[in-house]
Amino acid sequence: MTTCLYYNMERLDKYLAARGKGSRREVQKLIRGGAVTVNGTVCRSPEQKINPEQDAVTVSGQAVCADGHIYIMLNKPAGVVSATEDRHDRTVLDILPPELKRPGLFPAGRLDKDTEGLLIITDDGDFAHRMLSPRKHVMKQYVAKLDGEITEDMIRRFEEGVTFADGTVCQPAQLRVRSETDRTVGIVGICEGKYHQVKKMFATTGRKVVHLQRISIGNLYLDSNLPIGNAKKLTKLDIDSIFLVDMH
Ligand code: URA
């Protein structure tokens, strides 16, 4: 869910002048000259209202920073790696649209190359640390398609905390079937981020994960209108929802 409950709309020329892009008159010239884009489209009206929390603005191809940090939701496709650079594969940064790119971005956490779904890309190290720390108990939910059915015994073993072959003990995890009509698809909830964790957890029960998609981090859910491979800027409210604790 990425709804914004209040909008602090600002005129585009005022917004750019306040962020050091020139005097009001200078930025108006830039805007009229076609150097400014809003959400990927050239905007030639200085009086255009924008939402600094939600809209991605560029001047001459460079992203304008709203208030310090940026938080991006990517619907990660399979085949790209969760890294800032890679010699062989395309990275999650390579596939961002130009209006969201800026120096210092990195993926907050990692999904395997073949895993799809919700990935947050940011330039805020403190935020990433907070989100990833197992002590903060931010639950990440995955939809896992398996090569066999989910049994009640598997659900119980996840609840108790599975142990990998090398002795690594996992915290208790949630597992439920997505629908009774197809018990080969499960929803898994974990608060840690061990390497290949979900795949390894199922492996301890003799099941192979054939497709994996992350659907939520805390109370932030993958936007179902965001096509695979697309990205959008997150609002402050979206980010706060990650750390919201369910009261039931
Ligand atoms: N667990 C996995 O096994 N893979 C991922 O990409 C994420 C969680």
Side-chain angles (χ1 to χ4, degrees):
M1 190 185 58
T2 56
T3 40
C4 188
L5 298 180
Y6 52 82
Y7 292 91
N8 255 336
M9 304 300 281
E10 260 186 75
R11 270 179 66 119
L12 183 57
D13 56 355
K14 196 168 163 217
Y15 170 82
L16 291 177
R19 280 153 189 89
K21 299 295 162 194
S23 67
R24 194 77 168 256
R25 200 173 286 271
E26 283 164 350
V27 298
Q28 286 174 353
K29 211 167 150 199
L30 283 172
I31 297 169
R32 292 206 177 92
V36 177
T37 67
V38 177
N39 300 324
T41 306
V42 172
C43 176
R44 292 178 192 270
S45 329
E47 66 279 8
Q48 170 76 45
K49 287 277 176 52
I50 62 139
N51 177 354
E53 293 236 314
Q54 246 169 359
D55 294 324
V57 180
T58 66
V59 176
S60 308
Q62 293 283 307
V64 178
C65 139
D67 333 278
H69 293 299
I70 187 169
Y71 308 90
I72 298 164
M73 172 186 286
L74 173 70
N75 188 352
K76 180 191 171 297
V80 295
V81 292
S82 302
T84 51
E85 51 185 36
D86 194 275
R87 275 202 274 158
H88 303 290
D89 293 302
R90 280 190 312 154
T91 71
V92 290
L93 298 191
D94 293 333
I95 64 169
L96 290 181
E99 68 271 18
L100 291 178
K101 283 190 180 171
R102 64 156 78 175
L105 289 179
F106 62 92
R110 46 170 299 154
L111 293 176
D112 297 338
K113 186 173 165 185
D114 60 355
T115 301
E116 295 181 345
L118 176 58
L119 186 71
I120 297 177
I121 295 173
T122 183
D123 57 358
D124 184 348
D126 290 342
F127 157 78
H129 183 72
R130 198 166 150 225
M131 188 189 99
L132 297 170
S133 164
R135 270 178 288 140
K136 294 283 175 203
H137 296 287
V138 174
M139 183 174 286
K140 289 106 189 160
Q141 290 192 97
Y142 296 82
V143 177
K145 168 81 181 153
L146 307 172
D147 65 349
E149 297 204 336
I150 294 168
T151 62
E152 291 308 315
D153 181 55
M154 286 163 69
I155 294 174
R156 188 186 46 75
R157 285 168 67 179
F158 272 43
E159 250 168 34
E160 285 169 358
V162 302
T163 304
F164 296 154
D166 66 0
T168 306
V169 179
C170 297
Q171 288 179 4
Q174 293 181 358
L175 172 60
R176 60 190 160 88
V177 288
R178 192 172 63 175
S179 127
E180 275 305 330
T181 53
D182 180 4
R183 295 190 64 94
T184 66
V185 182
I187 312 277
V188 187
I190 54 174
C191 294
E192 320 166 88
K194 298 188 198 303
Y195 188 57
H196 295 325
Q197 181 158 349
V198 174
K199 292 172 187 164
K200 282 166 133 178
M201 284 168 68
F202 278 110
T204 65
T205 67
R207 290 279 180 271
K208 188 172 180 321
V209 174
V210 294
H211 183 257
L212 192 60
Q213 180 200 31
R214 182 153 66 190
I215 53 166
S216 66
I217 301 175
N219 276 297
L220 178 70
Y221 282 76
L222 179 64
D223 181 347
S224 54
N225 292 316
L226 189 67
I228 294 180
N230 284 37
K232 69 171 195 180
K233 203 170 146 184
L234 291 170
T235 67
K236 176 88 172 59
L237 283 181
D238 293 327
I239 292 304
D240 289 347
S241 70
I242 290 176
F243 302 102
L244 267 185
V245 177
D246 275 329
M247 298 308 281
H248 52 266

